[in-house]
């Protein structure tokens, strides 16, 4: 299905991988795409498909605030909080690095919350009011097989943040969801 050309989607972490593919496919379907990258000058593939490329480091409050300022007055219909990190070294309790864990939470859990909070005026101005978080089956307590303390915990946190937001914003017509992207 083709999108209304006025439907705007913002995808974080859109310079490579899943985020870039979202940008490609959404653009091909007729959505207006705003893609973000920590280093937009190096995001050549994103620039080729997005209507607009913006600098954003979701773990940096100043970067998020600057993005919100640059997007002042721009209605956003769909926000895809895709930016994320997965450091796979913390397989056992002896390998947990708390600095890595703090960074993983900053990007995977607090980043989506921070971006959503900063872009609330834009999202409220949008028609669709959809916020999507990129979660993972690895964030499931019920299905855990151990390993990867930081990533699994950060995705479980993202799930909870999305659940809380969905309750808080339901009366405004917002839809908040998380997607399990599967193995990639």
């Amino acid at each position: 299905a083709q999108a209304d050309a006025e439907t705007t989607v913002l995808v974080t972490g859109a310079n490579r991988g899943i985020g870039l593919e979202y940008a490609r496919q959404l653009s091909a379907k007729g959505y207006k795409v705003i893609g973000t990258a920590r280093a937009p000058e190096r995001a050549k593939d994103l620039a080729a498909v997005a209507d607009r490329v913006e600098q954003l480091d979701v773990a940096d409050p100043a970067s998020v605030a600057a993005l919100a300022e640059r997007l002042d007055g721009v209605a956003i219909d769909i926000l895809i909080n895709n930016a994320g990190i997965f450091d796979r070294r913390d397989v056992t309790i002896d390998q947990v690095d708390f600095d890595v864990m703090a960074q993983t939470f900053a990007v995977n859990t607090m980043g989506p919350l921070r971006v959503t909070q900063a872009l609330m005026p834009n999202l409220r101005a949008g028609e669709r009011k959809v916020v999507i978080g990129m979660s993972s089956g690895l964030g499931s307590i019920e299905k855990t097989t151990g390993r990867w303390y930081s990533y699994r915990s950060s995705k479980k946190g993202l799930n909870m943040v999305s659940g809380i937001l969905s309750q808080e914003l339901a009366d405004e017509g917002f839809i908040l969801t998380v997607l399990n992207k599967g193995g990639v």
Side-chain angles (χ1 to χ4, degrees):
Q2 294 298 307
D4 180 324
E6 297 303 309
T7 302
T8 300
V9 182
L10 187 143
V11 183
T12 67
N15 58 304
R16 63 184 181 89
I18 294 168
L20 179 57
E21 191 58 27
Y22 274 134
R24 279 189 183 123
Q25 291 192 28
L26 290 165
S27 180
K29 290 178 186 272
Y31 290 89
K32 183 177 177 184
V33 175
I34 302 170
T36 74
R38 284 178 294 163
E41 67 280 358
R42 294 197 314 254
K44 305 287 188 236
D45 292 338
L46 176 58
V49 297
D51 295 277
R52 185 169 174 171
V53 177
E54 292 288 342
Q55 194 284 327
L56 177 65
D57 179 344
V58 301
D60 178 358
S63 177
V64 175
L67 174 70
E69 189 174 309
R70 290 191 306 275
L71 294 178
D72 184 39
V74 176
I76 296 172
D77 298 287
I78 302 168
L79 168 60
I80 303 177
N81 282 308
N82 171 72
I85 58 173
F86 186 177
D87 187 309
R88 292 170 172 80
R89 293 177 291 176
D90 57 347
V91 175
T92 66
I93 188 68
D94 298 331
Q95 295 167 315
V96 173
D97 180 326
F98 288 94
D99 290 334
V100 169
M101 184 172 253
Q103 182 64 20
T104 302
F105 268 84
V107 174
N108 295 357
T109 309
M110 295 188 315
L113 180 58
R114 181 176 281 119
V115 171
T116 302
Q117 180 188 55
L119 296 180
M120 282 306 297
N122 310 82
L123 292 162
R124 285 184 168 121
E127 294 292 319
R128 301 239 182 136
K129 296 176 174 49
V130 174
V131 179
I132 300 168
M134 293 305 298
S135 188
S136 171
L138 295 175
S140 169
I141 291 174
E142 298 81 17
K143 296 179 182 178
T144 191
T145 57
R147 308 175 354 170
W148 304 322
Y149 287 83
S150 300
Y151 184 78
R152 286 178 184 271
S153 300
S154 73
K155 291 302 182 175
K156 188 63 172 181
L158 172 64
N159 295 345
M160 183 56 73
V161 163
S162 295
I164 294 167
L165 283 168
S166 72
Q167 296 299 309
E168 180 180 347
L169 300 174
D171 289 346
E172 293 185 56
F174 275 84
I175 298 170
L176 286 101
T177 191
V178 291
L179 300 178
N180 174 1
K181 62 200 169 308
V184 293

